[in-house]
Amino acid sequence: MVALAFLIPLALVVQQLARERALADAERQTTVVVAVLMTTTDPVAVDRALSTIAGGPTASRIAVHGLDGGSVGQRHARAEDIANAANQSSATTTEVPGGLSYLLPVDIGQGRNAVIEVFIPNSELTRRVHVAWYALTAVALGLVVASVWVGDRLAAKVVGSARGFAAAASALGDGQLDVRVEPSGPRELAEAALAFNAMAERVKGLLANERELVADLSHRLRTPLTALRLDAETLDDDHAAQRIRHAISNLELEVDEIIRTARKPSLAATEPGEQTGCDASEVVRERMRFWAAVAGDQGRRCEAIGVDTPAPVPVPRAELAAALDALLGNVFRYTPQGVPLEVAVSRRDGYVAIRVEDGGPGIADPDRALRRGETNHGSTGLGLDIVKRVAYNANGAVNIARGRLGGASIVVLLADAERPAQSSSRFGFVGRLSRDPAERRRRRAQRGADRSEVERSANLS
């Protein structure tokens, strides 16, 4: 565009120069005629002199008007223009068919002026102009092609560097901690690549230190676990000892899993073959067997509902068990003894819902409870965060509300591994769990049975 902005005015200048050149030639020709008129004004003599001096086609373009014996040569301009030029003191030009007439008044004595007319055809006015225009057009096209090629090469270099930068950032986000960027392109991109490499090295070092710290801390837990196992061997109650030993074994397995996970060299995504699912109903049954014994010691009514029907979810068994233990552990930790507890599993609309309810004081601020590290009870605040991460990794959600037992009702929604959801209305499903008529009837019947049991106990006493 810049080249065209310069070449268009240049083309107009070339055209103007060709016109001025033709007028200069005409002026030189009139000089010869003026010299003849200073010698004689006889038309015959002037015509003979012009034929001798000018000669060729140029002589046919020259005419002299206003001589004593008439005019010499062919007239191209109109008579009025010639008469007006005779009264002028300088040369004038006028448009005529096929070109331009250059008119110069000359004093021939006795107060009279003759007019020398030089006809300039259009071919003389535009001679070699088109050649110059073609050359300028070729230059313009060459400049445009060259600028496009240079711009394309520069853009390709910048885009290539940016794409490499983006690919490296995406790879680092996927856990490939060894990925680095080769600095290239403009200075800004090269500096960004160097900063990215430094950041990647820093992240790799921080994660390595964190993995080692977690592994070391987890390994240190084995000593108190060993002491607990030895203490459990000395218990007289075989049932209680067996339960405690089972809990210690599960805890040791979790510690070993933490150590193995922490020792992994990268945060790369789990391979497709490694990601396995489980049956949510089976996991709930297994964990409720452990927690039911603890509930019996505290005088709690503990019930599992809907665990007889398979409920496959795309969550590893250990992760779902850890999330369930976190929820149930909070119930035993933060509600008074004797408060009822209920766990229900539902499968509907492409989702599996695990609902944990209690009759405690409830959760005053559900949003704050779901934020990592925040708690009102002086704990680490990580229990519900573990549950939330398990749900989100399974394309689910977590909802906290007031349950019908009077306390908190926490619903963990997980994607169904066998029946994908047809829509994204997972939060609507959470709300429908509390509005289900069959569920309400079952709860009312259960509450009636509980009251009857209480009354029967009172009468017996």
Side-chain angles (χ1 to χ4, degrees), residues 65 75-88 90 92-97 101-105 115 117:
H65 308 288
R75 178 173 64 84
H76 293 85
R78 295 180 303 173
E80 295 85 353
D81 295 333
I82 294 175
N84 292 333
N87 298 323
Q88 301 294 325
S90 60
T92 60
T93 58
T94 181
E95 298 287 342
V96 297
S101 285
Y102 180 81
L103 303 176
L104 176 68
V115 177
E117 178 187 4

Side-chain angles (χ1 to χ4, degrees), residues 167-394:
S170 178
L172 182 64
D174 291 337
Q176 302 178 24
L177 301 181
D178 294 328
V179 66
R180 297 295 181 268
V181 180
E182 183 68 26
S184 61
R187 185 183 66 180
E188 292 78 5
L189 280 178
E191 293 176 352
L194 292 175
F196 175 86
N197 292 339
M199 179 196 68
E201 287 291 341
R202 180 62 174 165
V203 169
K204 184 178 180 180
L206 290 175
L207 291 176
N209 292 336
E210 181 181 359
R211 287 194 300 270
E212 293 299 327
L213 178 61
V214 172
D216 293 342
L217 291 177
S218 301
H219 191 272
R220 291 170 61 182
L221 290 176
R222 289 185 172 180
T223 299
L225 285 176
T226 302
L228 287 176
R229 180 179 290 277
L230 294 176
D231 290 340
E233 297 294 338
T234 63
L235 293 178
D236 296 332
D237 189 346
D238 292 340
H239 179 70
Q242 181 64 27
R243 178 164 55 85
I244 294 176
R245 285 195 294 270
H246 180 69
I248 294 174
S249 297
N250 289 337
L251 185 55
E252 288 177 338
L253 290 176
E254 292 296 334
V255 170
D256 292 340
E257 182 63 25
I258 292 174
I259 294 175
R260 285 193 296 269
T261 303
R263 292 291 184 179
K264 288 183 179 180
S266 69
L267 294 180
T270 305
E271 295 297 331
E274 298 180 5
Q275 180 67 31
T276 57
C278 65
D279 184 355
S281 297
E282 182 181 349
V283 175
V284 171
R285 288 197 305 268
E286 177 186 346
R287 299 315 301 154
M288 286 299 288
R289 281 195 294 268
F290 169 78
W291 290 103
V294 181
D297 294 340
Q298 295 186 1
R300 297 177 184 267
R301 180 176 62 83
C302 184
E303 185 179 3
I305 303 170
V307 295
D308 297 329
T309 304
V313 292
V315 179
R317 184 186 191 88
E319 292 187 11
L320 183 58
L324 190 60
D325 285 343
L327 292 177
L328 295 175
N330 285 342
V331 174
F332 284 90
R333 188 176 299 114
Y334 302 121
T335 61
Q337 295 189 16
V339 168
L341 167 65
E342 183 178 282
V343 180
V345 179
S346 302
R347 185 184 186 189
R348 186 186 310 167
D349 297 343
Y351 290 98
V352 173
I354 302 175
R355 182 176 57 253
V356 179
E357 294 189 6
D358 62 71
I363 299 177
D365 191 349
D367 293 334
R368 186 170 184 268
L370 288 174
R371 288 196 292 268
R372 181 178 179 86
E374 296 192 16
T375 177
N376 293 325
H377 305 287
S379 66
T380 60
L382 301 180
L384 287 178
D385 183 73
I386 293 174
V387 176
K388 183 175 66 174
R389 285 190 291 110
V390 169
Y392 287 1
N393 289 339

Side-chain angles (χ1 to χ4, degrees), residues 50-126:
L50 292 177
S51 300
T52 303
I53 297 173
T58 303
S60 62
R61 300 175 187 171
I62 303 176
V64 181
H65 308 288
L67 298 177
D68 293 336
S71 299
V72 175
Q74 181 181 358
R75 178 173 64 84
H76 293 85
R78 295 180 303 173
E80 295 85 353
D81 295 333
I82 294 175
N84 292 333
N87 298 323
Q88 301 294 325
S89 59
S90 60
T92 60
T93 58
T94 181
E95 298 287 342
V96 297
L100 189 70
S101 285
Y102 180 81
L103 303 176
L104 176 68
V106 179
D107 185 6
I108 58 177
Q110 300 179 356
R112 294 184 301 110
N113 286 338
V115 177
I116 303 174
E117 178 187 4
V118 179
F119 173 67
I120 307 174
N122 289 329
S123 59
E124 291 293 327
L125 292 174
T126 59

Side-chain angles (χ1 to χ4, degrees), residues 1-13 133 135-141 143:
M1 296 302 295
V2 175
L4 294 178
F6 283 101
L7 290 176
I8 291 176
L10 185 59
L12 297 178
V13 169
W133 282 3
L136 291 175
T137 301
V139 171
L141 291 176
L143 290 176

